[in-house]
Amino acid sequence: MATGRPTIADVAREAGVSPSTASVVFSGKAPVADATRRRVRAASDRLGYTGPDPRAASLRRGRSGVVGVVFEERLGAAFLDPVKTLMMDGLAEGVAPLGAGLLLLRDEVPASTSEPAPPAEPALSLETALVDAVVLVGASGRLAASLEILRARGIPVVVIEGDAGAGIPRIDLDNLDAQRQAAEHLRRLGHEHVAIVTLPWSGRRRRGLVAASREDDPSIDVTRERLRGAREVYPDATVFETAASLIDEGWEAGAALLRAVNPPTAVIAQSDLLAAGVIRAAEECGLRVPQDLSVTGFDGIALDGFAPYELTTLAQPAAAKGRAAADAVVRMLSGEDAASVRFSCAFRHGNTSGLRPRLD
Amino acid sequence: MATGRPTIADVAREAGVSPSTASVVFSGKAPVADATRRRVRAASDRLGYTGPDPRAASLRRGRSGVVGVVFEERLGAAFLDPVKTLMMDGLAEGVAPLGAGLLLLRDEVPASTSEPAPPAEPALSLETALVDAVVLVGASGRLAASLEILRARGIPVVVIEGDAGAGIPRIDLDNLDAQRQAAEHLRRLGHEHVAIVTLPWSGRRRRGLVAASREDDPSIDVTRERLRGAREVYPDATVFETAASLIDEGWEAGAALLRAVNPPTAVIAQSDLLAAGVIRAAEECGLRVPQDLSVTGFDGIALDGFAPYELTTLAQPAAAKGRAAADAVVRMLSGEDAASVRFSCAFRHGNTSGLRPRLD
DNA sequence: TCAGTCTATCGAATCGATTCGATTACGCGC
DNA sequence: GCGCGTAATCGAATCGATTCGATAGACTGA
């Protein structure tokens, strides 16, 4: 063939063997005589053959060695979250034995009617992506639609932090119990007036106090469960919703809560980043932590640049979650069915929570 | 066919058209009569056909719609770096018009001889990954080897922050000039005794003062260029090497430098995170920034939780770098050749640098 | 009305490797 | 010397879609 790269057939011809034998030399799926192996190797060197074309191989094999990871946010936003980052790490490690790579996908909202024809190229999405399995992360709004697409395509799915319905393995945390533990910890320390700083309630992110009259629950699972856990101990706590898990958001929340007429003596933050922000805000108000204000976080991440504080928090096994998801994927791909896994958070008593300050 | 999912041939038969016509209905590459389109659509609905199998399509097309992104570190470590995160964002956006996804790859060190046979499955690596193009990020040690593999496979490559040799588009910054600007800024403010806190010098990360006698240059490009830029103004500055771009690392460096017998009046940090750490260390030593100590950073990222400081820094267009890499990929895939791009950093005067304190 | 466009559709070749059942060759025991 | 088991190799079918040149109608204008 005049054009293009050599194919395995070229190599086979050059080596004087059949294509099947040449193929076997590369895949190692059957015994090959040493001499033959060497002949094929030599031929492929001579021709500059760099191994089987993954496209063709994956067509024939029916496997591509790629696991899709779907985020509901912009990729950049997803990686701002240390928990997700750790989880990705676990995921990457977990799929390694499978020889798979991770394909980052964003859960696009389908093109609106205003734009009829997408670009020239068909967009790579859940519908078309070349993946053996998919992990949905922090799924919420579009979850159902995504699942439907994947179910139709017959692609195995694992969901992290979200309810996917029966038959789909999910990996999550004992969010409610864990958060209740933190609240009970504060109650034991004597705190009565406690505020809760929550993660976003829904995709439509906003910031501010949640009116006591508001009866609806957060539509994001994590937020809802942690809120419930805290409310089991402090049903009447003031609740402040943030727009993202960021130190700055925690700062805003802290500033608002601590400047109120009757500031809380303790704050339950739904993430470590939020807690860090609350603590910074407290410092700026002249409050000492934990003497004047107790703060609990959630996640147990390594907070860069936060010494000497060590958050009282709930350490979640973020990397293990990723690993578990990967394991589930591996199992599903080998035909077994995978069970859901619920991880527990470990309560960690740091130096940001203490006895309720004496009332003056 | 008794088994498996329906193919486009099944759909065509069901609709009473030829496979080619059915294919065209899905790809839209040729005009199709409305009635025919509807017939095919109906047939595929009836059969539960979910669109062309990406494996087969990519074999025939010779394109997979996947762009590989190679990091030299663990994935988790890579995403700890806000600059890389932003860059990924730009990259993701930039390849979108191409309809491509990003496949995360780690630049593995080849298996040592100790472990002869990898797992049953062949590992997905640069050698075998199904990608149309690859972006190498922050490449260093294994760069040459990776390039060789990709060159042999005939896969287009773009390198971000690293020298790939002739013919390979690279995306980088005017690191040297930019860092010199910061140094000149400090010189104008009257600073004479300045310390430099650098990023890691090589893959083998260590932390500590760099002996004045040490003559070798950092092997990591970014570190080397920024160091040179600073030294053009302050050839004799004390140099402290860190093990990673982290606030805590900056803190270590700051603590060491500021407790020395003759502490500097200004610190040039090679990243914003390092600068933030230095500032925290200064605070703990009872120094005010910028009255007692000036600190400059590099990157211009939004430092979460760092108010009220605004770093004096060099803002680099991180997302634009990613976009540029993506554009280069797009161009190369359409046969044109892509030029290298060098971005400029914008000097930003924040509130962390000021006049040299009066000597007492 | 007929040559001369367009359009929509069809057939058949092709992308490159894998796989499995069949075949050859060889060594060995009886 | 014959049959048989084993190991290595071969052939041919297959994976599922895409593409390009050919063709059959339908339509236009002279």
Side-chain angles (χ1 to χ4, degrees):
Chain A
M1 182 157 310
T3 173
R5 321 180 44 59
T7 73
I8 204 170
D10 298 329
V11 172
R13 198 173 320 120
E14 170 86 8
V17 301
S18 79
S20 31
T21 305
S23 170
V24 163
V25 167
F26 288 102
S27 72
K29 299 238 176 196
V32 176
D34 247 25
T36 313
R37 190 198 320 283
R38 269 195 300 275
R39 283 225 312 289
V40 172
R41 281 264 138 77
S44 71
D45 281 354
R46 232 172 301 139
L47 265 47
Y49 180 74
T50 50
D53 180 334
R55 280 177 274 267
S58 94
L59 170 59
R60 183 67 243 242
R61 280 210 240 256
R63 283 282 168 79
S64 62
V66 174
V67 174
V69 184
V70 179
F71 292 96
E72 50 178 337
E73 349 157 60
R74 299 173 64 215
L75 259 33
F79 291 120
L80 239 40
D81 182 346
V83 173
K84 295 220 169 92
T85 295
L86 278 170
M87 202 208 60
M88 283 294 291
D89 230 25
L91 206 45
E93 232 172 80
V95 298
L98 208 149
L102 296 178
L103 182 66
L104 263 36
L105 293 171
R106 208 179 152 255
D107 201 355
E108 301 289 355
V109 178
S112 64
T113 43
S114 66
E115 198 195 345
E121 310 279 340
L124 183 74
S125 62
L126 277 187
E127 274 101 339
T128 62
L130 177 71
V131 290
D132 292 342
V134 167
V135 177
L136 296 173
V137 180
S140 64
R142 305 244 315 116
L143 180 58
S146 308
L147 283 172
E148 178 48 33
I149 294 171
L150 294 168
R151 200 193 49 70
R153 289 184 64 192
I155 294 178
V157 183
V158 177
V159 175
I160 297 184
E161 303 282 15
D163 187 0
I168 295 183
R170 63 190 278 195
I171 312 291
D172 52 15
L173 297 175
D174 60 341
N175 281 303
L176 194 152
D177 289 343
Q179 189 68 86
R180 187 179 46 219
Q181 267 183 67
E184 280 163 354
H185 165 73
L186 292 174
R187 157 136 351 256
R188 275 195 302 276
L189 291 170
H191 294 275
E192 284 167 5
H193 184 20
V194 168
I196 304 172
V197 175
T198 76
L199 294 166
W201 282 38
S202 67
R204 153 127 187 48
R205 301 167 175 226
R206 53 184 158 186
R207 178 193 307 134
L209 280 173
V210 175
S213 62
R214 186 163 164 195
E215 281 298 330
D216 61 322
D217 278 342
S219 68
I220 294 181
D221 294 30
V222 175
T223 310
R224 183 179 58 245
E225 295 309 306
R226 293 187 191 170
L227 180 57
R228 284 184 183 161
R231 275 184 168 159
E232 286 195 2
V233 179
Y234 294 107
D236 303 318
T238 311
V239 176
F240 192 103
E241 171 184 4
T242 65
S245 180
L246 291 175
I247 296 179
D248 288 339
E249 286 285 329
W251 184 89
E252 298 266 6
L257 291 167
L258 299 174
R259 283 205 200 98
V261 280
N262 183 18
T265 64
V267 172
I268 295 175
Q270 286 192 343
S271 84
D272 286 352
L273 291 175
L274 291 174
V278 170
I279 290 173
R280 292 245 180 280
E283 284 174 340
E284 285 175 29
C285 293
L287 298 172
R288 291 160 305 159
V289 173
Q291 293 88 343
D292 303 321
L293 180 74
S294 289
V295 179
T296 67
F298 204 115
D299 288 342
I301 58 171
L303 264 179
D304 187 24
F306 202 59
Y309 290 114
E310 282 180 33
L311 271 175
T312 292
T313 191
L314 295 143
Q316 67 157 297
K321 274 190 340 192
R323 184 91 44 89
D327 289 348
V329 164
V330 170
R331 212 160 307 131
M332 293 175 87
L333 285 180
S334 55
E336 315 164 43
D337 49 11
S340 295
V341 182
R342 162 153 294 195
F343 285 96
S344 292
C345 300
F347 179 74
R348 200 153 75 196
H349 191 177
N351 57 17
T352 62
S353 60
L355 287 174
R356 180 188 67 162
R358 291 197 41 223
L359 302 172
D360 299 320
Chain B
M1 181 156 313
T3 172
R5 321 177 45 59
T7 74
I8 203 170
D10 299 329
V11 173
R13 198 173 321 120
E14 170 87 9
V17 300
S18 78
S20 32
T21 304
S23 170
V24 162
V25 167
F26 288 102
S27 72
K29 298 238 180 202
V32 176
D34 248 25
T36 313
R37 189 197 322 283
R38 268 195 301 275
R39 283 225 311 290
V40 172
R41 281 263 137 77
S44 72
D45 281 355
R46 233 172 300 141
L47 264 48
Y49 180 73
T50 51
D53 180 334
R55 280 177 274 268
S58 95
L59 170 58
R60 185 63 243 242
R61 285 217 175 103
R63 285 282 168 78
S64 62
V66 174
V67 175
V69 184
V70 179
F71 292 96
E72 49 178 337
E73 344 155 66
R74 299 174 62 216
L75 259 32
F79 290 121
L80 239 39
D81 182 346
V83 173
K84 294 219 170 94
T85 296
L86 278 170
M87 203 206 59
M88 285 293 291
D89 229 26
L91 207 45
E93 233 172 78
V95 299
L98 207 150
L102 297 179
L103 182 65
L104 264 34
L105 294 170
R106 205 177 155 259
D107 201 355
E108 302 289 355
V109 178
S112 63
T113 43
S114 66
E115 197 196 345
E121 310 281 340
L124 183 74
S125 63
L126 277 188
E127 274 101 340
T128 62
L130 198 165
V131 290
D132 293 341
V134 167
V135 177
L136 296 173
V137 179
S140 63
R142 305 244 316 117
L143 180 57
S146 308
L147 283 171
E148 179 49 32
I149 294 170
L150 293 168
R151 202 193 49 69
R153 288 184 64 191
I155 293 178
V157 182
V158 177
V159 175
I160 296 184
E161 303 281 13
D163 188 359
I168 295 183
R170 62 190 279 194
I171 312 292
D172 51 15
L173 295 175
D174 60 340
N175 281 303
L176 193 151
D177 289 343
Q179 188 68 88
R180 188 181 43 217
Q181 266 184 67
E184 280 164 354
H185 166 72
L186 292 174
R187 155 129 3 248
R188 274 196 302 277
L189 292 172
H191 294 275
E192 281 166 8
H193 186 18
V194 170
I196 305 172
V197 175
T198 76
L199 296 165
W201 282 37
S202 67
R204 154 128 186 48
R205 301 168 175 225
R206 54 184 158 187
R207 178 194 306 137
L209 280 172
V210 175
S213 61
R214 184 161 165 197
E215 282 298 331
D216 62 320
D217 279 341
S219 68
I220 294 182
D221 294 30
V222 175
T223 310
R224 184 179 57 245
E225 295 308 306
R226 293 185 190 170
L227 181 56
R228 284 186 182 161
R231 275 183 167 161
E232 286 196 2
V233 178
Y234 294 107
D236 303 318
T238 311
V239 176
F240 192 102
E241 173 184 3
T242 65
S245 179
L246 289 175
I247 296 179
D248 288 339
E249 286 286 329
W251 184 90
E252 299 265 6
L257 290 167
L258 299 174
R259 282 204 202 100
V261 280
N262 182 18
T265 64
V267 173
I268 296 175
Q270 287 191 343
S271 84
D272 287 351
L273 292 175
L274 291 174
V278 169
I279 290 173
R280 292 247 180 279
E283 284 174 341
E284 284 174 31
C285 293
L287 297 173
R288 292 160 306 160
V289 173
Q291 292 87 343
D292 302 322
L293 180 74
S294 290
V295 179
T296 66
F298 203 116
D299 289 342
I301 58 173
L303 265 180
D304 187 24
F306 203 59
Y309 290 114
E310 283 180 31
L311 270 175
T312 293
T313 192
L314 294 143
Q316 67 157 298
K321 273 187 343 190
R323 183 90 45 87
D327 290 347
V329 163
V330 170
R331 213 161 307 131
M332 292 174 86
L333 285 179
S334 56
E336 314 164 43
D337 49 10
S340 295
V341 182
R342 162 153 294 195
F343 284 96
S344 292
C345 301
F347 179 75
R348 202 153 72 195
H349 191 174
N351 58 16
T352 62
S353 61
L355 287 175
R356 179 189 67 163
R358 287 199 45 223
L359 301 173
D360 300 319

